[in-house]
Amino acid sequence: MRDVRLIFEKRGLLRFVSHLDLNRAVLRCLRRTDIPIWYTEGFNPHPYVTFALPLPLGAESVNDVLDLRVVGDIKNREIVEKLNAVLPDGLRITGSCEPRAKIRELCKAEYLFFFSEATDMDRVRAIVGGGELMSEKPGKAHGRKVMKTVNLLEEVYACAYDGHTMKLTLPAGSVKNVNPISLAEELEKKDGSVDCRLVRRTELLTETGAFR
Amino acid sequence: MNSELEKQLLRVQKPASYTGNEQGAVRKDKNTVDVRFAFCFPDKYEIGMSHIGMKILYGMINERSDAWCERVFAPAEDMERVMREGGFPLFGLESGEPVRDFDIIGFTLMYELCYTNVLNMLDLAGLPVRSKDRPSLAPLVVAGGPCCCNAEPMAEFIDLFMLGDGEDVMNELIDLYKKYKADGGSKADFLEEASHLTGVYVPSLYDVAYHEDGTIKAVTPLKTAPAKATKANVADLDNVYYPTDFVVPYTEIVFDRAVHEIFRGCIRGCRFCQAGFIYRPIREKRPETISEQSRALCEATGYDELSLCSLSSSDYTHIRELLNMLLEWTEPRKINIALPSLRIDNFDRELLERLSAVRKSGLTFAAEAGTQRLRDVINKNITEEEILNTSREAFAGGRTAVKLYFMLGLPTETDEDVKGIADLAQKVVNEFYRNPDKPKGKGVQVSVSASNFVPKPFTPFQWEPQDAKDEFVRKQEYLRSCVTTKKASVSCHTPAVSALEGVMARGDRRLADAIEYAWRSGCTFDSWEDSFDYEKWLAAFAAAGLDPAFYANRRRDYDEILPWDHLDYGIDKRFLIREAEKAKKAKTTPHCRVRCAGCGANKLNGGRCDARRQTDF
């Protein structure tokens, strides 16, 4: 029994598939292969698959990470080949490795925002440079459900532009997480010209580098 | 898919139900096919994707190299708003292209309350809702499914109905269409020739005349249409198409699993049950075929649950043989077998243990009526003793929940019968506490579900009046007042919904005006309680000059011409009258394996009916 870390991408129409639905789809795809998966030993046995960080509905990802527990002496290369043979369009395993970083070490993620030609990029730069973009999201206070207002740009670790593309590194993980889709939506609300066509998560990061 | 629409998808719930890129979805080059078929299910994705008929026909049409079948579901309210605001027409999920450019648009009519959704989908496609306003051959609008056995309320909207089993007639219809399309034939000529196919009913080729009291005077076939349209019958289930792959959805749907139909028809003859009559005669599939095909299906889909589907699973002659055959490969693969509608009383316990090794399903009894007298009236052969015995064993085995299904408003029902429902629930509760092995520290939960009886065509109760809405309300209140234990909960169906279903089930083609009016005033998703609007429907009936009580609450004479009399489902009317008379005397009819009751359906199958084969019972 060992864990294998798979690097995958989720692109195109697959971005409308939610995290939970993706989880189920991957489990089904595993069942269509003969990869010797380890099953949990409870009342309701199921394979052990963990995604490093859920992707918000609507975003694409590359260099995304999932861990899988297998038994027997199957090679990583075989796992990748067998799984890629059955995965749907838009979902593809691009690499594999031994898990090194622990999931709780994941704290940042890098995103690309693709804006339409009509978008006034100077306005985007001005808003993002201003360091404040408020968004309401459901949260809890004293055990009750309330709407919380958060600043999506409170912490921006890196920011760069290339034409109508913006690259941002934002907090991600279990401690603090910024939803990039909300960020795109709030930008669109702030300025009528802003039209974000696509958000892609390009890397999961720890304090020291890429999450692997 | 249109990129503008893609962007809008983030505004709606469950966007993955509109992207059509699921595993198993079939994509073809439209330039290589002659016939494009839009299979429309007039309800939401999560309902339609659970429908086995669609899976069969989708796979079958797509096996043809000359045709491409795509799926279309009714967009939910939020998606409909996005589509109407943005001017996006109804599209096929596989290609993302407008349905109005397809050759054939096929609706499946699973229940009467989906009719306004059919109109809404035609409208979203940019098509006129009435058949007469669509003069060209394409797109041809067809419909199939159980409601077609009284297709009359939808007769003005649908060009052609497919009665009975869809497999064979669908291919014949596509072949014929292809010929007319190539020759540039007219819609009228096509419909006339199609009406000669077994299983095809073209409503515009029948003229209906009425008496002054509103009943039907005569139904006259026009041109060369046959006097009666006969349902299609697939003779041999072992050699008919069954899919080896399903479209596997990303989002959760109602029944998300592999499913295999083990036989068609039902031997029981419960007098209220339309399915029990219109799917006759009994045709069984061989266990080897089922095991082989469902194994391929599980391998292709990756499903971890296989459901064996039929009207009454334990009436399948080779059920033990089949389960042993299936368990051989499902157990090592950790695939769970679901056996809905199983009678536990005559089942061997060891097999049952192996079935539930993976997951335990709930215990449900469809008792249907509260007293033995009324169960005899409806020919539901389950006794109180059977229910209590099985409950006792289930409690001893550690279960603590039992579901009981009933109907209110059955013919000859009195308040005593309604009280009988509460009494039976109480007896099940008592059975739990009488049990010395009952689970410690746990209570029992008996869930009573009472639906409202709707008399349906091709049943012995097709002449019966339905209870009025207020009578259902009164009976529901009375039932609730009879339940004194907190261990039993009662849930009931909305009477107004059942009242509308009652009108549609036995309606005639004059209802078209009311359906269109209701839809134009905003009625869609009538089977969803949060969108059902009875007041609008009442206004629609008034506007159309129709009295819903005429259709739902009136007792018909045996010699009245019924709106579905020119459709032949193989069921002999004299048999239905015999059964209706026996019901009045609370006399039961043994099931088909004990003695053939002479329903007549075997004539559709060359005289053969598998209920009369050698059995191992």
Side-chain angles (χ1 to χ4, degrees):
Chain A
M1 176 175 88
R2 69 185 181 95
D3 288 352
V4 53
R5 180 154 289 174
L6 298 176
I7 315 302
F8 71 96
E9 56 181 41
K10 179 190 175 199
R11 304 186 65 170
L13 289 175
L14 261 275
R15 69 187 189 279
F16 297 111
V17 174
S18 71
H19 175 66
L20 287 176
D21 293 342
L22 179 73
N23 187 41
R24 219 177 27 240
V26 168
L27 291 186
R28 273 181 194 147
C29 286
L30 280 168
R31 298 184 64 92
R32 293 166 62 211
T33 70
D34 56 2
I35 298 170
I37 313 152
W38 181 81
Y39 278 82
T40 59
E41 283 156 355
F43 179 71
N44 192 359
H46 58 89
Y48 183 81
V49 174
T50 314
F51 288 81
L53 183 68
L55 187 68
L57 194 68
E60 287 190 343
S61 70
V62 295
N63 294 323
D64 211 336
V65 172
L66 72 85
D67 291 348
L68 171 68
R69 190 165 290 175
V70 294
V71 290
D73 51 4
I74 185 166
K75 293 201 165 54
N76 281 7
R77 186 177 43 82
E78 266 184 277
I79 296 177
V80 174
E81 275 170 18
K82 284 173 192 257
L83 204 46
N84 272 337
V86 296
L87 286 176
D89 285 354
L91 201 58
R92 202 165 64 90
I93 312 290
T94 53
S96 64
C97 62
E98 296 293 308
R100 292 188 293 269
K102 293 202 165 58
I103 300 253
R104 61 181 154 75
E105 291 174 51
L106 198 166
C107 57
K108 295 181 270 189
E110 182 188 271
Y111 300 93
L112 287 179
F113 296 78
F114 297 92
F115 296 98
S116 69
E117 290 295 317
T119 303
D120 180 350
M121 289 306 289
D122 290 339
R123 287 289 299 142
V124 174
R125 282 167 196 260
I127 299 166
V128 175
E132 190 180 288
L133 191 61
M134 305 310 282
S135 171
E136 279 209 320
K137 67 170 193 178
K140 273 184 180 172
H142 311 293
R144 259 179 302 184
K145 281 183 186 166
V146 291
M147 291 306 284
K148 276 188 169 174
T149 307
V150 294
N151 180 6
L152 298 171
L153 296 172
E154 192 179 0
E155 279 174 274
V156 176
Y157 302 112
C159 175
Y161 296 89
D162 179 11
H164 282 79
T165 306
M166 171 174 74
K167 182 156 88 178
L168 284 186
T169 306
L170 298 165
S174 53
V175 180
K176 186 172 184 337
N177 193 62
V178 171
N179 183 333
I181 297 291
S182 307
L183 197 151
E185 281 172 2
E186 294 300 332
L187 282 173
E188 289 181 350
K189 278 189 218 163
K190 272 268 187 208
D191 187 279
S193 83
V194 177
D195 176 19
C196 183
R197 306 304 295 184
L198 188 66
V199 176
R200 181 183 301 149
R201 191 167 75 193
T202 48
E203 198 69 80
L204 298 171
L205 300 162
T206 65
E207 285 294 351
T208 53
F211 177 85
R212 289 290 184 274
Chain B
M1 178 178 261
N2 181 310
S3 75
E4 207 43 56
L5 184 57
E6 266 184 43
K7 174 151 183 168
Q8 299 292 330
L9 275 188
L10 283 180
R11 287 170 55 199
V12 305
Q13 298 274 310
K14 300 181 186 167
S17 32
Y18 305 106
T19 53
N21 59 333
E22 306 95 323
Q23 170 195 317
V26 178
R27 263 172 231 93
K28 295 191 180 187
D29 176 356
K30 65 176 171 180
N31 299 311
T32 66
V33 298
D34 300 313
V35 179
R36 293 187 70 181
F37 194 105
F39 200 121
C40 298
F41 194 98
D43 208 320
K44 292 178 189 171
Y45 180 89
E46 67 241 50
I47 311 285
M49 278 296 288
S50 309
H51 179 230
I52 181 174
M54 177 182 248
K55 294 173 196 288
I56 294 174
L57 294 175
Y58 178 82
M60 196 191 75
I61 298 172
N62 281 325
E63 284 243 308
R64 298 175 63 125
S65 59
D66 60 352
W68 183 13
C69 178
E70 300 190 34
R71 295 159 299 141
V72 188
F73 302 93
E77 287 91 338
D78 57 353
M79 182 63 173
E80 181 182 343
R81 210 172 307 123
V82 163
M83 289 168 71
R84 288 197 187 274
E85 278 170 12
F88 304 109
L90 192 71
F91 57 93
L93 284 185
E94 279 73 4
S95 67
E97 293 181 350
V99 162
R100 62 163 177 261
D101 299 333
F102 282 49
D103 292 290
I104 306 178
I105 299 175
F107 285 95
T108 183
L109 305 179
M110 291 301 294
Y111 26 81
E112 293 83 357
L113 298 184
C114 71
Y115 292 166
T116 52
N117 279 13
V118 173
L119 272 59
N120 201 40
M121 286 171 80
L122 286 172
D123 185 60
L124 276 168
L127 294 168
V129 295
R130 297 231 178 200
S131 177
K132 65 174 170 51
D133 300 328
R134 299 185 303 259
S136 57
L137 179 61
L140 186 75
V141 178
V142 306
C147 287
C148 295
C149 76
N150 178 24
E152 293 307 281
M154 292 299 280
E156 302 283 337
F157 309 113
I158 305 288
D159 300 329
L160 171 160
F161 291 97
M162 299 164 80
L163 315 180
D165 301 332
E167 289 99 333
D168 297 339
V169 64
M170 178 65 88
N171 276 325
E172 291 164 17
L173 194 75
I174 291 175
D175 290 340
L176 187 66
Y177 176 89
K178 203 174 130 183
K179 193 181 105 192
Y180 270 78
K181 186 183 178 183
D183 301 347
S186 75
K187 180 177 176 180
D189 290 346
F190 169 81
L191 288 177
E192 190 180 349
E193 189 169 346
S195 76
H196 300 150
L197 296 174
T198 301
V200 167
Y201 166 53
V202 178
S204 57
L205 290 179
Y206 295 81
D207 181 64
V208 184
Y210 301 91
H211 290 294
E212 249 173 46
D213 65 1
T215 59
I216 293 173
K217 190 171 173 186
V219 177
T220 318
L222 307 173
K223 300 187 192 170
T224 58
K228 274 196 165 202
T230 306
K231 83 154 180 168
N233 175 73
V234 167
D236 182 1
L237 290 191
D238 284 307
N239 286 307
V240 74
Y241 174 83
Y242 197 79
T244 47
D245 197 3
F246 281 178
V247 179
V248 181
Y250 289 112
T251 62
E252 272 187 290
I253 60 170
V254 182
F255 295 117
D256 201 1
R257 57 196 184 189
V259 48
H260 207 108
E261 184 189 23
I262 55 178
F263 70 100
R264 260 176 223 181
C266 183
I267 62 167
R268 294 284 157 183
C270 303
R271 291 175 182 135
F272 56 86
C273 177
Q274 185 181 49
F277 295 103
I278 64 169
Y279 292 112
R280 289 183 180 204
I282 314 286
R283 285 145 298 153
E284 292 197 336
K285 207 162 175 169
R286 285 169 50 231
E288 293 82 8
T289 317
I290 299 169
S291 179
E292 206 175 290
Q293 290 178 340
S294 47
R295 182 171 180 164
L297 187 57
C298 285
E299 277 167 9
T301 56
Y303 272 124
D304 59 1
E305 185 169 60
L306 169 66
S307 172
L308 301 179
C309 151
S310 71
L311 292 169
S312 174
S313 310
S314 47
D315 289 333
Y316 177 63
T317 321
H318 314 286
I319 188 76
R320 285 175 190 80
E321 203 183 335
L322 171 66
L323 288 175
N324 280 318
M325 222 177 266
L326 291 173
L327 283 164
E328 232 167 78
W329 58 268
T330 57
E331 269 181 331
R333 282 176 174 73
K334 299 184 172 60
I335 292 169
N336 184 34
I337 298 177
L339 255 180
S341 46
L342 179 74
R343 298 164 71 92
I344 303 180
D345 44 315
N346 56 1
F347 223 73
D348 77 69
R349 213 134 293 278
E350 193 196 336
L351 205 52
L352 205 62
E353 280 305 308
R354 280 177 76 189
L355 274 185
S356 58
V358 188
R359 230 167 295 156
K360 258 185 188 168
S361 55
L363 187 63
T364 306
F365 294 102
E368 310 296 2
T371 61
Q372 195 57 48
R373 183 199 68 82
L374 193 52
R375 282 195 293 273
D376 288 345
V377 167
I378 61 176
N379 205 36
K380 180 80 197 186
N381 50 0
I382 184 172
T383 64
E384 186 172 301
E385 204 187 332
E386 281 170 340
I387 294 172
L388 296 180
N389 280 346
T390 313
S391 301
R392 188 180 310 130
E393 288 194 23
F395 292 146
R399 291 184 207 236
T400 57
V402 173
K403 272 191 215 163
L404 299 172
Y405 287 170
F406 297 96
M407 273 183 286
L408 289 172
L410 288 163
T412 76
E413 184 182 61
T414 64
D415 280 2
E416 199 181 313
D417 298 307
V418 177
K419 184 170 178 298
I421 295 175
D423 293 343
L424 185 55
Q426 181 68 54
K427 283 177 194 162
V428 174
V429 171
N430 295 348
E431 208 54 63
F432 180 83
Y433 288 104
R434 201 174 292 145
N435 173 11
D437 310 321
K438 66 173 177 287
K440 298 273 175 295
K442 275 189 180 169
V444 62
Q445 186 54 49
V446 177
S447 312
V448 172
S449 170
S451 63
N452 306 313
F453 173 62
V454 179
K456 297 266 166 126
F458 295 107
T459 69
F461 293 153
Q462 64 178 357
W463 297 277
E464 290 290 324
Q466 186 191 20
D467 270 358
K469 178 174 141 296
D470 294 342
E471 180 65 359
F472 280 131
V473 173
R474 188 192 69 78
K475 283 179 177 172
Q476 290 180 354
E477 278 168 10
Y478 178 62
L479 171 61
R480 287 207 165 88
S481 74
C482 293
V483 176
T484 50
T485 167
K486 283 206 171 76
K487 302 292 175 192
S489 62
V490 180
S491 61
C492 296
H493 287 203
T494 311
V497 174
S498 310
L500 181 62
E501 195 186 330
V503 174
M504 293 298 155
R506 292 184 295 169
D508 56 38
R509 53 177 71 179
R510 288 171 300 185
L511 283 174
D513 290 345
I515 295 171
E516 184 172 348
Y517 190 99
W519 163 66
R520 289 200 187 277
S521 58
C523 290
T524 53
F525 291 106
D526 298 305
S527 59
W528 295 71
E529 278 191 25
D530 48 356
S531 50
F532 178 72
D533 190 337
Y534 191 54
E535 294 306 316
K536 278 188 186 151
W537 272 102
L538 289 180
F541 288 124
L546 297 169
D547 175 15
F550 172 81
Y551 296 105
N553 314 118
R554 179 174 63 91
R555 177 177 295 283
R556 290 136 170 94
D557 291 330
Y558 288 142
D559 54 10
E560 179 177 331
I561 297 175
L562 302 171
W564 53 94
D565 274 353
H566 56 297
L567 307 184
D568 184 358
Y569 270 69
I571 303 296
D572 195 321
K573 204 172 198 176
R574 288 165 303 184
F575 159 75
L576 292 178
I577 292 173
R578 281 201 304 276
E579 284 293 298
E581 287 302 310
K582 282 172 95 174
K584 283 177 191 160
K585 296 179 197 121
K587 278 200 177 137
T588 59
T589 298
H591 69 68
C592 305
R593 289 227 167 86
V594 175
R595 194 171 66 224
C596 173
C599 69
N602 61 343
K603 77 164 195 269
L604 299 172
N605 203 28
R608 197 182 125 173
C609 173
D610 284 353
R612 306 186 72 180
R613 268 208 310 215
Q614 204 62 38
T615 71
D616 61 359
F617 277 87

